[in-house]
Amino acid sequence: MVKTLLQNRDWLLRNGIEPVTPNRHGEIFNEALSALRGGPATPAMEQVMLDAVLDSDDPRRIICSTPSFLGRAVRAISPEGLYVTAGQKMAALANLFPSAEVEFFMALKNPATLISFILSQEGGGSYAELMEGVDPEALRWAPALRRIQAALPGRRLVVWCHEDTSLIWPEVVRRIATMPADVPLKAGLQILGDILHSDGIRMVRDALAQEERLTVASRRRIFAAALEAHGQSEQIEVELNLPGWTQQLVDRITAAYDADMAEIAALPGIEFLTP
């Protein structure tokens, strides 16, 4: 996300939108969060933070994206469920800028592959250490999103499935950056480039060039066809080799994840992006 936003930085800055990289805001935000302990910043504190992280003068929108906003990945799982402290952490982030309209954008990942991803991270530990006896089928996103909503009354919350990201990447970026559909998006194929063979990228570019009137639906159709024909299976398919897991367990967790996504998409106040 940060890479794509920076590719479009010139247009964004001209239109009062500044993407801020994690190395600019990380230490400053962390110090403020520690000092405030979840409470609201004063107007003076807000201004000090803005002066420290911004290049432009008085932008109307600031975009920050970093993997650590909700804490270390290993903290995602607890006996109480998925990301039980997420709402508290997000409310504290919103309180860094109480005078601003703070919005949150989140991609949600199938718990079956999320567990495997966490274990692949530095400090992820062993499966037994991570799970500590937690039933993987108890890790559900619907209650997690309800807790987050309860902690962020009135805040805009935009959600999508991580598994759909390659198909909806341009819409996600435009929604976050408030870029109109008629503004050319640089690096709009950034995610596809990570999971397609070079022939697939050429296929996408050729097909996009042949479209007389490119729509969201036609672009997604082109992306889907390229992924089917030229997707790098090692980048798309996740091999799960977790102690005691069976295909039946993976299927049950995935079915519960699909049910949770349907429930979340229907929650009042949630904007759910789908292919």
Side-chain angles (χ1 to χ4, degrees), residues 85-157:
T85 61
Q88 174 188 342
K89 289 179 180 295
M90 292 161 78
L93 284 167
N95 272 338
L96 292 180
F97 300 98
S99 67
E101 186 178 333
V102 179
E103 304 174 343
F104 292 96
F105 295 78
M106 299 179 66
L108 310 181
K109 189 175 177 68
N110 185 336
T113 55
L114 177 64
I115 292 168
S116 181
F117 170 78
I118 294 171
L119 290 171
S120 73
Q121 302 299 292
E122 185 177 349
S126 69
Y127 178 79
E129 290 168 338
L130 174 67
M131 300 301 290
E132 292 187 336
V134 173
D135 179 358
E137 292 188 68
L139 300 175
R140 303 289 296 264
W141 275 114
L145 263 290
R146 290 183 181 279
R147 287 192 297 267
I148 288 170
Q149 271 198 305
L152 300 167
R155 300 286 186 191
R156 183 183 181 212
L157 192 59

Side-chain angles (χ1 to χ4, degrees), residues 17-186:
I17 305 158
E18 182 167 346
V20 182
T21 57
N23 64 329
R24 292 284 307 255
H25 67 67
E27 188 175 337
I28 292 162
F29 283 9
N30 286 338
E31 286 180 4
L33 288 168
S34 296
L36 291 168
R37 298 180 180 275
T42 64
M45 284 184 71
E46 280 189 271
Q47 195 57 53
V48 167
M49 285 187 285
L50 291 174
D51 290 342
V53 303
L54 295 179
D55 284 331
S56 59
D57 295 326
D58 198 27
R60 64 178 177 83
R61 186 175 184 83
I62 301 162
I63 307 170
C64 301
S65 177
T66 182
S68 59
F69 271 149
L70 298 186
R72 294 174 60 220
V74 292
R75 301 281 173 82
I77 294 170
S78 70
E80 292 78 29
L82 272 179
Y83 283 102
V84 292
T85 61
Q88 174 188 342
K89 289 179 180 295
M90 292 161 78
L93 284 167
N95 272 338
L96 292 180
F97 300 98
S99 67
E101 186 178 333
V102 179
E103 304 174 343
F104 292 96
F105 295 78
M106 299 179 66
L108 310 181
K109 189 175 177 68
N110 185 336
T113 55
L114 177 64
I115 292 168
S116 181
F117 170 78
I118 294 171
L119 290 171
S120 73
Q121 302 299 292
E122 185 177 349
S126 69
Y127 178 79
E129 290 168 338
L130 174 67
M131 300 301 290
E132 292 187 336
V134 173
D135 179 358
E137 292 188 68
L139 300 175
R140 303 289 296 264
W141 275 114
L145 263 290
R146 290 183 181 279
R147 287 192 297 267
I148 288 170
Q149 271 198 305
L152 300 167
R155 300 286 186 191
R156 183 183 181 212
L157 192 59
V158 182
V159 175
W160 65 96
C161 293
H162 171 77
E163 296 79 9
D164 294 334
T165 300
S166 59
L167 292 175
I168 62 173
W169 184 244
E171 284 91 74
V172 171
V173 176
R174 289 184 186 279
R175 192 72 67 95
I176 288 173
T178 62
M179 290 183 75
D182 59 350
V183 174
L185 176 66
K186 297 176 183 176

